[in-house]
Amino acid sequence: MGPRIGPAGEGPQVPDKETKATMGTENTPGGKASPDPQDVRPSVFHNIKLFVLCHSLLQLAQLMISGYLKSSISTVEKRFGLSSQTSGLLVSFNEVGNTALIVFVSYFGSRVHRPRMIGYGAILVALAGLLMTLPHFISEPYRYDNTSPEDMPQDFKASLCLPTTSAPARTHSNGNCSSYTETRHLSVVGIMFVAQTLLGVGGVPIQPFGISYIDDFAHNSNSPLYLGILFAVTMMGPGLAFGLGSLMLRLYVDINQMPEGGISLTIKDPRWVGAWWLGFLIAAGSVALAAIPYFFFPKEMPKEKHELQFRRKVLAVTDSPARKDKDSPSKQSPGESTKKQDGLVQIAPNLTVIQFIKVFPRVLLQTLRHPIFLLVVLSQVCLSSMAAGMATFLPKFLERQFSITASYANLLIGCLSFPSVIVGIVVGGVLVKRLHLGPVGCGALCLLGMLLCLFFSLPLFFIGCPSHQIAGITHQTSAQPRPELFPSCMEVCSCPSDGFNPVCDPSTRVEYITPCHAGCSSQVVQDALDKSQVFYTNCSCVAEGNPVMAGSCDSTCSHLVVPFLLLVSLGSALACLTHTPSFMLILRGVKKEDKTLAVGIQFMFLRILAWMPSPVIHGSAIDTTCVHWALSCGRRAVCRYYNNDLLRNRFIGLQFFFKTGSVICFALVLAILRQQDKEARTKESRSSPAVAQQLLVSGPGKKPEDSRV
């Protein structure tokens, strides 16, 4: 087959001579392709069912490793001092490598050994996953209190109020800055960007080559079932990624090099950093194991000869004589069949790569002239932008908005959000099939689903928690706290400007950045049955000198996270109702010979306009709600505190904006389809008298050739 723009799984494949010899077994007596010994005694890998099983497991593992970073995005930010904009850009680099090469992978089609190419791509994905863990091993151990000297426990007297004369004895992280430190930080971040790019590059051949391989060698009636199984298993990958993230983030980041005295942090402490890197090791190992069978599958295998028994019985009952006339594919003459195949691929003849690149812009503009296609793709761009932002930053949003742990946020998302997405896609497909929806019906279903999604998004603006009262920060307009912003009671202390060891006054529910900012000069540890509680006493900035507890103040509305996520999941399911009908609108909105190209252009636009920029846009919006940034060597690092009301309004507002854009596009699609349907009916009614007159002239026993509309 010639070059194609979309994924290689879309549209027919034209194999070479060897492939034709094996694919022709379906129509030969006895189903034997050739006397070749390999075909007489085929190995276990000459079985398309085994390939479907292996490919389902591989795509499951691939989506698990691709989605794992999203489950630990806030942890990576805290560990390496990244802003949300930078972490969003890191996630987007997965699509950069994928988008750059997907066109050329589709061009090669069946010219290469597809199973081996899939295996090579999977090995590259596994290596990229291992590369993502490298920053953990080359970085120094995580110090959750950077004011601590090396020879004492990290939390012991590190953040207490010391006399001003003792200030030189206190170490500051900015004092340890050097060109080597900055270079090391840049190299660590650069390694993660390279690893994300390689993840995208390695994933390029996996899905297109796998789908096309199944479509080529499965029986024509069994291919949809196999692809449905593949899709169903693959969709569990992101959910497993968040489940894996929930487990790994409960472990301390330096579990492989714990300090001698242990750590005094709990998983609820805002300084806690989980073992984000361990999930990448597990996922990379899964991908590597799933890649092994692909090096044993043949380049071509005999085409499957038997269809499913229940499908054969159904066709035997429902097949009518009308299906066996000259319009039936089984009764077409060789010339007609060849002509039809030529029409399907006439847009992409056998061109060289250079000719293919030259002709692509003209073909792209020609395809974009279809108004239905353009509007549906724009609507899907809005939906994909919403999905990309939600998948990347929803865990972090739940952590900050409802003061829950990263592990619990991932567990809720994996159990509620992703299953609702699968349910929405399946229900949308069932409705299209059961109701026999045409283009107008598909457009109406898409519009109805998005209107309901928009309606259930409105309560999300009002479900959330207020911001904590942070002494010296909450009511300030500047994101950078200055010494004069804090109470005068701490003037005698030499508090570090970049310290972070939050404490809470339980009587007033006011939070202080460190015990020093609360004026506390001593520490008390109370041992309990299950855990020990740290208190700081002699606090000059606290009313009546009451002791303060270590850790952030508990939120009074953390229980609202479940109804919030239920509404998010319901909206996701309603939005996913549009998946199948919108895809049908694309296939029915262009010419038959343009379908393969249209699907390819659709995926290209979704990557370029949605999956690449959306995480950066959402990350930038989140950064604008920060009220206190941590500093690292004088530069802005991770955000310590957000304005929760601004965070909720801007994050949900951005989602609402994309949903509104999708509603507008689907409304225009439905209006155009109704107008086209009205014009078609008017034309049909005008032609009816002429048809009746022709019937009278022809006589009762004769029908005109062109009487069908």
Side-chain angles (χ1 to χ4, degrees):
M1 180 181 175
R4 296 179 299 147
I5 310 300
E10 308 292 342
Q13 294 277 352
V14 179
D16 53 19
K17 295 180 180 179
E18 296 180 3
T19 310
K20 288 179 179 178
T22 56
M23 292 177 62
T25 58
E26 186 180 19
N27 298 324
T28 57
K32 295 182 180 180
S34 65
D36 188 73
Q38 189 176 4
D39 290 330
V40 174
R41 293 184 300 171
S43 69
V44 67
F45 292 99
H46 285 70
N47 189 335
I48 194 63
K49 294 184 180 66
L50 179 62
F51 184 87
V52 172
L53 174 63
C54 293
H55 205 62
S56 299
L57 295 177
L58 176 60
Q59 287 199 184
L60 176 69
Q62 184 215 353
L63 281 188
M64 185 170 65
I65 195 173
S66 298
Y68 180 76
L69 178 62
K70 299 179 178 66
S71 70
S72 55
I73 196 72
S74 62
T75 302
V76 173
E77 287 179 9
K78 281 192 286 186
R79 179 65 181 91
F80 299 105
L82 305 179
S83 65
S84 294
Q85 184 184 46
T86 304
S87 62
L89 185 63
L90 179 62
V91 172
S92 299
F93 260 66
N94 194 334
E95 301 295 333
V96 171
N98 195 294
T99 306
L101 296 178
I102 187 67
V103 172
F104 296 99
V105 167
S106 300
Y107 169 79
F108 285 113
S110 59
R111 306 180 185 187
V112 296
H113 196 299
R114 283 175 287 179
R116 288 182 185 173
M117 290 299 296
I118 294 173
Y120 294 143
I123 294 299
L124 183 58
V125 168
L127 292 177
L130 294 178
L131 188 61
M132 277 295 296
T133 67
L134 184 60
H136 167 75
F137 294 102
I138 65 175
S139 300
E140 294 182 351
Y142 172 60
R143 305 198 65 82
Y144 49 83
D145 190 345
N146 54 25
T147 64
S148 302
E150 293 290 338
D151 58 351
M152 63 192 305
Q154 295 188 40
D155 236 6
F156 183 69
K157 295 182 180 180
S159 304
L160 297 180
C161 177
L162 301 178
T164 307
T165 55
S166 303
R170 190 188 299 274
T171 59
H172 297 269
S173 63
N174 287 350
N176 296 328
C177 292
S178 63
S179 58
Y180 170 74
T181 304
E182 282 296 286
T183 302
R184 184 176 58 187
H185 173 78
L186 292 177
S187 63
V188 164
V189 176
I191 288 173
M192 290 192 290
F193 273 94
V194 172
Q196 281 295 106
T197 305
L198 293 179
L199 271 178
V201 172
V204 168
I206 293 178
Q207 184 175 6
F209 282 168
I211 292 177
S212 64
Y213 195 83
I214 294 173
D215 191 56
D216 280 352
F217 303 119
H219 193 280
N220 292 337
S221 62
N222 296 344
S223 179
L225 174 63
Y226 293 155
L227 295 180
I229 294 173
L230 175 67
F231 177 75
V233 175
T234 300
M235 282 299 294
M236 294 189 293
L240 289 179
F242 278 85
L244 181 63
S246 176
L247 293 176
M248 295 301 104
L249 296 184
R250 297 182 65 87
L251 305 175
Y252 186 62
V253 60
D254 290 323
I255 190 174
N256 60 323
Q257 44 184 352
M258 293 286 285
E260 293 182 3
I263 59 172
S264 58
L265 288 184
T266 64
I267 190 174
K268 294 183 178 180
D269 195 296
R271 298 170 295 170
W272 175 272
V273 172
W276 61 273
W277 54 275
L278 196 54
F280 277 109
L281 282 181
I282 296 175
S286 302
V287 173
L289 289 176
I292 295 176
Y294 287 89
F295 296 99
F296 300 95
F297 282 106
K299 183 179 180 181
E300 304 98 6
M301 67 172 62
K303 189 174 179 70
E304 199 175 26
K305 297 182 288 294
H306 303 290
E307 63 179 340
L308 298 176
Q309 293 296 326
F310 76 90
R311 178 179 175 84
R312 184 180 302 172
K313 294 178 181 179
V314 170
L315 290 178
V317 174
T318 59
D319 219 9
S320 63
R323 294 174 56 91
K324 299 179 181 180
D325 60 8
K326 64 180 180 180
D327 294 328
S328 175
S330 60
K331 299 295 183 179
Q332 279 183 337
S333 64
E336 290 174 339
S337 178
T338 304
K339 182 178 179 180
K340 181 179 179 181
Q341 289 185 1
D342 289 342
L344 286 173
V345 297
Q346 63 182 354
I347 293 297
N350 289 323
L351 303 174
T352 64
V353 176
I354 302 300
Q355 293 172 330
F356 170 55
I357 295 175
K358 289 181 179 179
V359 78
F360 176 70
R362 179 174 57 84
V363 177
L364 174 63
L365 293 177
Q366 178 182 350
T367 306
L368 293 179
R369 292 175 60 185
H370 300 286
I372 300 297
F373 171 79
L374 183 60
L375 287 171
V376 173
V377 168
L378 288 178
S379 177
Q380 289 185 339
V381 165
C382 292
L383 285 176
S384 296
S385 299
M386 176 196 72
M390 185 70 76
T392 304
F393 289 109
L394 182 59
K396 177 177 181 175
F397 176 83
L398 297 180
E399 292 175 48
R400 297 293 186 167
Q401 187 68 213
F402 300 99
S403 299
I404 62 176
T405 64
S407 175
Y408 185 49
N410 286 326
L411 181 64
L412 289 176
I413 294 172
C415 293
L416 294 178
S417 294
F418 282 101
S420 68
V421 169
I422 299 175
V423 170
I425 294 175
V426 172
V427 171
V430 170
L431 289 176
V432 171
K433 181 176 179 60
R434 286 297 182 91
L435 301 179
H436 304 287
L437 297 180
V440 177
C442 289
L445 179 59
C446 290
L447 182 59
L448 178 62
M450 287 311 304
L451 284 174
L452 291 175
C453 176
L454 204 62
F455 174 76
F456 285 106
S457 297
L458 290 175
L460 298 179
F461 285 99
F462 309 101
I463 302 178
C465 298
S467 302
H468 290 175
Q469 296 295 319
I470 315 298
I473 293 179
T474 302
H475 301 292
Q476 304 299 328
T477 57
S478 174
Q480 302 298 337
R482 298 185 299 274
E484 62 268 20
L485 298 180
F486 293 97
S488 58
C489 56
M490 52 160 284
E491 289 181 353
V492 297
C493 307
S494 56
C495 298
S497 59
D498 57 346
F500 186 63
N501 181 16
V503 293
C504 177
D505 180 6
S507 59
T508 59
R509 302 194 65 81
V510 174
E511 189 170 319
Y512 300 85
I513 297 179
T514 66
C516 181
H517 290 86
C520 302
S521 58
S522 60
Q523 180 189 51
V524 176
V525 179
Q526 293 184 355
D527 294 327
L529 295 177
D530 53 346
K531 62 179 180 179
S532 60
Q533 178 66 53
V534 179
F535 290 91
Y536 295 91
T537 57
N538 299 328
C539 304
S540 58
C541 296
V542 180
E544 301 179 358
N546 292 331
V548 294
M549 298 187 303
S552 295
C553 296
D554 293 331
S555 176
T556 58
C557 59
S558 296
H559 60 281
L560 294 178
V561 65
V562 175
F564 180 91
L565 200 57
L566 285 175
L567 281 176
V568 170
S569 302
L570 179 59
S572 301
L574 291 170
C576 290
L577 282 177
T578 66
H579 181 271
T580 299
S582 63
F583 193 75
M584 298 304 297
L585 286 175
I586 287 179
L587 295 180
R588 297 176 183 179
V590 297
K591 298 178 182 179
K592 182 178 295 186
E593 61 269 17
D594 293 344
K595 287 183 180 180
T596 300
L597 185 65
V599 173
I601 293 175
Q602 171 201 10
F603 282 110
M604 184 184 68
F605 271 89
L606 292 183
R607 283 190 172 95
I608 295 177
L609 300 180
W611 291 101
M612 287 172 60
S614 180
V616 181
I617 294 173
H618 281 79
S620 301
I622 291 174
D623 283 342
T624 61
T625 66
C626 183
V627 295
H628 175 49
W629 290 93
L631 298 178
S632 176
C633 295
R635 63 172 179 82
R636 201 171 68 174
V638 66
C639 181
R640 298 293 193 194
Y641 293 105
Y642 291 92
N643 184 321
N644 279 2
D645 294 330
L646 277 179
L647 175 63
R648 182 174 63 255
N649 291 334
R650 292 183 182 177
F651 184 76
I652 301 300
L654 199 54
Q655 297 280 306
F656 196 85
F657 169 78
F658 287 122
K659 293 175 184 177
T660 304
S662 180
V663 167
I664 294 174
C665 290
F666 278 132
L668 293 176
V669 167
L670 184 59
I672 294 175
L673 288 173
R674 284 184 172 178
Q675 181 65 26
Q676 292 177 351
D677 188 60
K678 183 179 179 181
E679 292 176 356
R681 291 187 178 183
T682 303
K683 185 177 180 181
E684 181 180 355
S685 62
R686 289 178 180 177
S687 61
S688 295
V691 173
Q693 181 68 23
Q694 189 174 0
L695 284 172
L696 291 175
V697 173
S698 303
K702 185 179 180 182
K703 293 183 180 181
E705 284 187 17
D706 299 330
S707 62
R708 290 185 301 172
V709 179

